[in-house]
Amino acid sequence: MLDGLRRLEYRGYDSAGLAVFQPEQGLEVIKTKGRVDALARQVEGRGGLAGDIGLGHTRWATHGAPSQQNSHPHVSENGRIAVVHNGIIENYAEIRGFLQSTGVRFASETDSEVVAQLLEYYYNGSILEAVTKVLHRIQGAYALGILCADCPDRLIAARKDSPLVLGFGQGCRLLASDVTALIRYTRDVCYLDDGEIAELTADHVWVYDAYLRPVEKERRRVDWDISAAEKGGYEHFMLKEIMEQPKAVRDTLSPRIQDGRVVLDEVSFPKNFLAEMDRIAVIACGSSYHVGMAAKYILEKLLRKPVEVALASEFRYCDPIVTPRTLALVISQSGETIDTLAAMREAKRLGAKVLSIVNVVGSTIARESHQVLYTWAGPEIAVATTKAYSTQLAMIYLIGLCFGEVLGTLPPGEYAGLLAALQRLPDQLEEVLSCRERIQYLASVCFNHPSVFFIGRHLDYAVGLEGSLKLKEISYLHSEAYAAGELKHGTISLIEPGTLVVALATCRPLFEKTMSNVVEVKSRGADVLGLTTAPLEAAMGQTATYTLTVPETHPLLLPSLDVVPMQLFAYYVALMHGCDIDKPRNLAKSVTVE
Ligand code: AGP
């Protein structure tokens, strides 16, 4: 269990715990605030924990501060039922009040503890029946693991809106929120769907619906290698994943380019759907949303259809205009982001066709979309996404070419030119990565700036959004991204001597316009780190304090190259600040709570 928890450390957490059934002592629970290593030391301190069955958990605090009491597993008052929970029990206050009125004393401030206490309340000799009663009573999102001392040969699991995967190992059955925890022990897995309950013994798994009727589940084989989830000699997963981008993009593109054409076998829409499509609604969060921002410029140019980009957390509550002629393009690395999932369900309910771009095979968004295009980035462990972003962007180009051909919207010669440039992209990414020492040097001279602004126009603006997010999430520096032309409408008041402005000016037709904005910030004392293409370096160098270049390519492909120096810059700045790069504070890899 400790090994499994270590493999999930990348997801972000603040406390950890274990419950093991020991034949003599019953349920033994060890919990601690802090890292899995601290938990392991406590286990060692007690001379180990012997047992054949148990539950482990890492908690990312929502209700109640990170503390030993608030960490999982939570145990019912009589000490006989242990529970781990991911998600949020939305009606916990009402249930807690009810249980307290019956005399139950709570040991934590969490929403999760109500599950353990409610199980004890309903338990009448059958833990499965108690679980169904609890599931009918609680509202919210959950992935639950339950261990009852009265039936110590089995675990019970249940899910709604939070991922759970079951593993079929040699002489053992396993349960986890992410396949990464299981891969060392088995490649045979099955994903629980919403509303399902599972019962696991060492050699059997039974899956039921909410009324305990048996459900047949399909097993899947995980085909990625365990080394993909290891650092392979790099100091951090983030750097490893940055360096893997040429391969990840190549793996995403190659199978879909056949005989000089883009072939998306995975996608088939009813006849005329694309021609009659009224809009594309891109739905995503965080960096995936930033890919959506770039997609707006790229797909509108190639398809001549309106593309609206929505933050998933806003989309679901804004009464969105969606029709059966709308294509909802859902972008998610994990395929489990709860806001994105909920927004996707809303788009589906309103009649949209859902096409998703997902990295994790078998994830909930992938399973619930009408069609899915997998990015073949391999497992991404660092919380700050890099190779998943790049492969999502690569997928946008493939969609633009494929749909553009069907719609006949690409100007003559554009298809072949763009496709040829796309095929050169992995080699050009290698070229950009080979300049990382220069970026490391620039990070060493810039890392002390307290405030950083990223500016750019058009696709450069979309990349600036991602550059700014990368920097703030791993280095904790304050940074903002602005459309360069927007700066003078207010934000320029923040520019003063010592402010660092990262100016992205790779978009040739808008170079002079962006340079005007660079002059404006420079004359107010800002230090400017300018990113442009090699032929424009000298022009950039006349104003910028420092320059960085990327090779020339098709203008629509520039974001794929531009983002790499932004990722490396953030990485090296964070390194110089001594930050916990792979597991930045307060962040989780996959955000499965609203
Ligand atoms: C980016 O570095 C972040 N980890 C975060 O913004 C992430 O992109 C966002 O949470 C969306 O995740 P998803 O792609 O897995 O849905």
Side-chain angles (χ1 to χ4, degrees), residues 422-433:
L422 194 55
Q423 288 176 290
R424 285 195 297 274
L425 207 52
D427 290 341
Q428 291 189 303
L429 285 167
E430 304 270 14
E431 202 181 318
V432 177
L433 288 167

Side-chain angles (χ1 to χ4, degrees), residues 284-290 331-338 340 365 380 382-386 388 392 466 469-470 473 587-591:
C285 301
S287 294
S288 298
Y289 170 79
H290 295 157
I331 308 177
S332 175
Q333 185 283 128
S334 61
E336 300 292 352
T337 303
I338 191 82
T340 310
I365 289 175
E380 192 180 61
V383 164
T385 184
T386 52
Q392 289 168 348
E466 178 60 6
L469 181 68
K470 285 283 88 73
E473 67 181 334
L587 297 180
K589 178 67 181 164
S590 165
V591 184

Side-chain angles (χ1 to χ4, degrees), residues 56-90:
H57 190 262
T58 47
R59 170 178 188 250
W60 185 79
T62 58
H63 296 56
S67 69
Q68 197 259 352
Q69 290 93 320
N70 289 337
S71 34
H72 301 213
H74 292 290
V75 179
S76 61
E77 209 181 357
N78 66 6
R80 301 200 58 77
I81 301 173
V83 171
V84 292
H85 167 228
N86 287 348
I88 292 179
I89 307 299
E90 287 168 357

